[in-house]
Amino acid sequence: MAIPAPSIMLVPPHPSSQEDPIHISCMAPRGFTGANFTLYQDGEVVELLKAPKDQLRVIFNLSGGSREVRGGPFCCQYSVLGENRQPQLSNLSEPVHVSFPVPTWILALSLSLAGVALLLFGLVTIALIIRKVKVKNLNKKRERESCWVNIATTDMSFDNSLFTIMKMTSEEDAANLDTPSGSTETPGPRKRPTSTSSSPEPPEFSTFRAC
């Protein structure tokens, strides 16, 4: 017949690294003094201790850096002599876990790496924004240059057409002045001499986008 399970707990000083010793207290219920205690780790026996005749508990001291310190949770069990001098085993205690704080240098290194990653992310973001602005400005500059080229081409075509018309008019006026006053030409309606050259084509104006 199983008897009540013991209680288990870590006692000070608590370990701050895997090199520090671990102190585990295991205590039987009231009325079970002088019991034999067994400490287990992952189902394996770690250490055996016997409590004094008038004591209910024992303290297991595990040296730092040992296999037990690096292992999993601990639990304990006790046994006493019952009726007819027969040993009675208790149920296993609840497991107790041993945790070690993160070393300061690891924490500092993690924070440094996080800061570097954040800085790189910020620099990449800024570089992408600057590149986007430069491309946008370059596109605007190209659009303005295209508008100026269209305007210059249109003005040149208009000037050439105007010059051709003015030249033809001047030649016709000069021909009329050279005709003698006593000419025997049959009077009639005066006709403008027709130029042998083909009439100039009307100027073409190119369309362009509004800048």
Side-chain angles (χ1 to χ4, degrees):
M1 179 179 178
I3 53 180
S7 60
I8 187 171
M9 62 182 298
L10 292 174
V11 294
H14 298 296
S16 59
S17 69
Q18 292 187 356
E19 302 301 323
D20 295 336
I22 299 175
H23 308 285
I24 300 176
S25 169
C26 190
M27 186 171 65
R30 186 183 299 273
F32 295 93
T33 58
N36 296 308
F37 290 87
T38 305
L39 182 66
Y40 298 93
Q41 180 186 29
D42 293 332
E44 297 183 2
V45 176
V46 176
E47 191 174 353
L48 300 173
L49 285 178
K50 180 176 176 57
K53 291 182 179 181
D54 58 345
Q55 297 292 323
L56 295 174
R57 73 167 187 169
V58 294
I59 296 178
F60 296 95
N61 298 312
L62 305 179
S63 59
S66 63
R67 178 183 63 84
E68 292 81 8
V69 174
R70 298 190 298 270
F74 297 91
C75 62
C76 67
Q77 186 181 40
Y78 69 94
S79 65
V80 293
L81 293 177
E83 297 179 358
N84 301 323
R85 309 288 297 179
Q86 295 295 325
Q88 291 180 310
L89 285 176
S90 69
N91 294 322
L92 289 173
S93 67
E94 294 293 329
V96 63
H97 297 268
V98 179
S99 60
F100 303 97
V102 179
T104 306
W105 68 271
I106 293 180
L107 182 60
L109 179 61
S110 301
L111 292 176
S112 300
L113 293 177
V116 171
L118 185 61
L119 178 61
L120 290 177
F121 177 77
L123 292 176
V124 170
T125 303
I126 293 174
L128 291 176
I129 293 175
I130 293 175
R131 184 176 181 275
K132 185 176 180 180
V133 171
K134 286 184 177 180
V135 171
K136 186 176 181 180
N137 292 336
L138 181 60
N139 291 336
K140 287 183 177 180
K141 183 179 179 181
R142 289 177 178 174
E143 290 178 0
R144 288 196 297 267
E145 291 177 352
S146 176
C147 291
W148 283 113
V149 169
N150 289 333
I151 292 173
T153 304
T154 302
D155 291 344
M156 185 177 295
S157 300
F158 178 78
D159 291 342
N160 291 338
S161 300
L162 184 61
F163 175 76
T164 302
I165 295 173
M166 293 177 64
K167 183 177 180 182
M168 292 178 59
T169 304
S170 299
E171 290 177 353
E172 291 175 356
D173 293 341
N176 292 334
L177 292 176
D178 291 341
T179 302
S181 58
S183 175
T184 58
E185 291 182 358
T186 305
R190 188 175 181 179
K191 296 182 180 179
R192 182 182 297 274
T194 304
S195 174
T196 58
S197 62
S198 60
S199 60
E201 296 180 356
E204 295 182 358
F205 298 93
S206 61
T207 59
F208 56 90
R209 295 173 296 177
C211 301

